Amino acid sequence: MSRLSLLLLALLPGLLPAQQTLIPRYRAAELGDPDAQVEVGQYYVSQAHATALARNLTEARDWYDRAAKQGYPVGMLRLAELHLRDEPEVRDPAEAFRWMDRLYETNHPESGCNAALARFYVEGVAARDGRVAVGADPRKAYYHIILQQAAGSLPHDLGLLRADLRKRLSPADVKDVEDRAFRWVEDHNKPALRPDSE
């Protein structure tokens, strides 16, 4: 083996890190892998300490959006969470509502979408221009609280809200909403157990 070959072999390990991509799984994300797209989006939200790249929430939004549009639940959830941040370049509660509603429609209660939707329906949702995108609706808020409870966890604030809504709604409305929620759970998650009523 020549001296030049030995020298190149000695330098090769030092060259490998420079040839790796700066953002892990970026190429897979470009090729359409939704898991990689979420990972790249998360990278843009948090940024690795070893890079010179600045946090870029609009870039993160674009990557999460790619994954969400493929129906990837984690992409939908991360996109909704990003739209609830206080930074004006990404804040859009109406879009957050839309993606949480899509998680509900595609039966992903593990995402916490029902808890989020219940909170949205308590106060309503404003669009970016200030208009009402989704009006307050106590019946829908109560419905999503029941679905969240059926998923196996009910945050404390929603437990308090559940009790308040049961007082505000008529007994007939409470029964109707609980029956509809139970039917939804039963239709989408056989077998289902009816949550205990107060």
Side-chain angles (χ1 to χ4, degrees):
M1 204 173 230
S2 73
R3 286 184 177 174
L4 181 59
S5 298
L6 289 173
L7 180 62
L8 286 174
L9 286 175
L11 291 175
L12 189 59
L15 295 176
L16 287 179
Q19 294 172 349
Q20 293 177 346
T21 60
L22 187 57
I23 300 172
R25 300 194 63 205
Y26 190 85
R27 183 72 180 131
E30 282 184 320
L31 293 173
D33 180 338
D35 186 55
Q37 290 168 341
V38 168
E39 196 172 315
V40 169
Q42 185 60 37
Y43 185 86
Y44 278 111
V45 169
S46 61
Q47 292 304 312
H49 297 295
T51 69
L53 293 176
R55 184 179 74 170
N56 187 335
L57 297 180
T58 55
E59 188 73 22
R61 180 195 58 211
D62 293 345
W63 284 107
Y64 289 156
D65 188 63
R66 288 181 189 192
K69 285 180 177 173
Q70 291 184 65
Y72 189 57
V74 178
M76 290 185 238
L77 180 61
R78 293 291 175 259
L79 185 57
E81 291 169 345
L82 190 67
H83 282 306
L84 291 174
R85 292 177 67 119
D86 288 332
E87 290 87 353
E89 67 268 24
V90 293
R91 183 157 181 80
D92 191 344
E95 275 297 297
F97 172 86
R98 185 170 80 84
W99 287 109
M100 286 296 186
D101 193 48
R102 182 119 178 252
L103 282 164
Y104 155 70
E105 290 172 0
T106 56
N107 194 24
H108 289 285
E110 74 284 356
S111 68
C113 61
N114 291 303
L117 289 169
R119 291 181 183 107
F120 281 130
Y121 280 120
V122 167
E123 297 180 13
V125 181
R128 282 184 154 240
D129 62 5
R131 294 183 186 156
V132 175
V134 177
D137 188 331
R139 285 176 51 97
K140 287 183 180 178
Y142 186 64
Y143 172 80
H144 284 286
I145 289 171
I146 298 302
L147 291 180
Q148 182 63 42
Q149 180 182 2
S153 69
L154 189 64
H156 181 71
D157 68 313
L158 290 184
L160 296 173
L161 183 58
R162 177 179 178 250
D164 180 58
L165 288 170
R166 284 180 64 88
K167 291 176 191 171
R168 289 175 31 201
L169 295 171
S170 71
D173 281 343
V174 168
K175 182 178 181 341
D176 178 57
V177 170
E178 288 176 351
D179 287 346
R180 281 188 318 109
F182 178 73
R183 279 192 308 274
W184 193 92
V185 170
E186 192 174 53
D187 289 345
H188 291 82
N189 302 293
K190 301 241 184 232
L193 299 175
R194 181 180 291 273
D196 294 333
S197 297
E198 289 182 335

